Amino acid sequence: MVYDCAVIGGGPAGLNASLVLGRGKKEVILLDDDAPRNAVTQESHNFITRDGVKPAEFREAAHADLKKYPNIVIQKDRVTDIDSAASPFRIHTEAGKDYEAKTIILATGLKDVLPDIQGIHDFYGKSLFACPFCDGWELKDIPLVYIADGEFSFHGIKMISNWNKDIVICTNGKESFSAEERDILKQKQFEVIDDEILRLQGENEQLKAILFKNGNELYKEAGFISYKMEQAAPFAERLGLELNEMGGIKTDSQGRTSIKGIYAGGDNASGPPQLIIAASEGSKAAIGVISDFVEETF
Ligand SMILES: Cc1cc2nc3c(=O)[nH]c(=O)nc-3n(C[C@H](O)[C@H](O)[C@H](O)COP(=O)(O)OP(=O)(O)OC[C@H]3O[C@@H](n4cnc5c(N)ncnc54)[C@H](O)[C@@H]3O)c2cc1C
């Protein structure tokens, strides 16, 4: 069977895209390998009617919505290759399946590359967070650590200070701030520790202390980290899609990419990275797909 659209990635972007396509009477296959970015976290915030929802519950509710439409197939599988020269497009998966689709929506999201610090994965999403918009409210009254890593560190601390100013910054011996930024941090009375971190310590996903290589210890039970994000799937690069200034897939206002018939939405295209923004981007891409079918066939 040739699907009208293959949606690749079943986070909020791909799920909402599938819903709009399904309700738009399109034959849809949603291919998702079920490794969402926010799986590490216990609660998601900022999605009206879903504030505090567990990521797994959000997904379950979305699948229940999609199952109402017989023209939407949900397949748990990882897409390994897309032949964009074929017509219809051919999609190859890890399970060895091939699918054909007239259009594709890439909703594969981003993946987080955390600083290389022993123990960081034990606490990420539980007591160490990345996004103050997502988790700042819960941390607003707790003395925090901020592990700075990379060029966005200063922007990160500025944003976090909206929620909480009681923060000790650890650079782990890296030069993540310019001299001018350091001056501002000093004026604002943020303590900056430049010692190299040996490891993070705690139990049951609860951070207790940052242990430094010089033997010093800093006792903190929560904090934020700055980190890098990368495309979770390699298709933008492999297909040669044009990128935007943030390194995401460049789209127009209805998800159209630089290749006709391929659309994108969610964290992999633009941001800021938020569930509701990703869902709306998925919706816009699906509207783009349906509008283009209508233009061709009306
Ligand atoms: C720790 C943490 C906490 C967060 N908390 C919040 C919050 O409280 N509120 C909020 O609004 N936002 C939060 N976010 C951000 C939010 O999770 C993202 O903005 C949102 O999930 C992006 O949705 P998406 O659909 O674009 O991508 P994702 O949710 O990442 O979904 C992408 C999907 O594509 C799949 N995929 C990738 N490659 C392939 C492939 N090759 N084949 C098949 N499937 C593939 C993945 O498995 C995944 O299921 C948080 C993020 C993190 C990391």
Side-chain angles (χ1 to χ4, degrees), residues 9 11-13 32-33 35 38 45 59 79 108 112 134 267 273-275 278:
D32 178 46
D33 72 348
N38 64 346
H45 302 101
R59 207 165 258 244
V79 174
T108 43
D112 302 327
C134 303
D267 280 3
Q274 287 280 282
L275 297 165

Side-chain angles (χ1 to χ4, degrees), residues 1-2 10 15 23 33-34 42-43 45 60 92 120 140 148 172 185 187 192 217 228 230 234 251 279-280 292:
M1 144 162 213
V2 178
L15 290 163
R23 289 180 49 78
D33 72 348
D34 200 17
Q42 281 149 335
E43 290 187 346
H45 302 101
E60 241 170 68
H92 188 71
I120 203 160
K140 66 186 170 40
N172 192 23
L185 293 174
Q187 280 165 28
V192 181
E217 298 180 355
K228 298 176 191 76
E230 297 179 343
T251 66
S280 89
D292 292 347

Side-chain angles (χ1 to χ4, degrees), residues 8-15 31-41 43-47 51 59 75 77-80 107-112 124-125 128-131 133-135 227 232-235 265-269 272-279:
I8 306 178
L15 290 163
L31 294 156
D32 178 46
D33 72 348
D34 200 17
R37 243 189 101 193
N38 64 346
V40 293
T41 193
E43 290 187 346
S44 299
H45 302 101
N46 292 343
F47 200 121
D51 192 42
R59 207 165 258 244
Q75 193 64 49
D77 202 349
R78 182 164 184 83
V79 174
T80 51
T108 43
L110 294 174
K111 67 175 176 204
D112 302 327
Y124 183 52
L128 273 181
F129 300 89
C131 160
F133 292 94
C134 303
D135 299 291
Y227 64 107
F235 305 122
D267 280 3
N268 67 355
Q274 287 280 282
L275 297 165
I276 204 157
I277 294 174

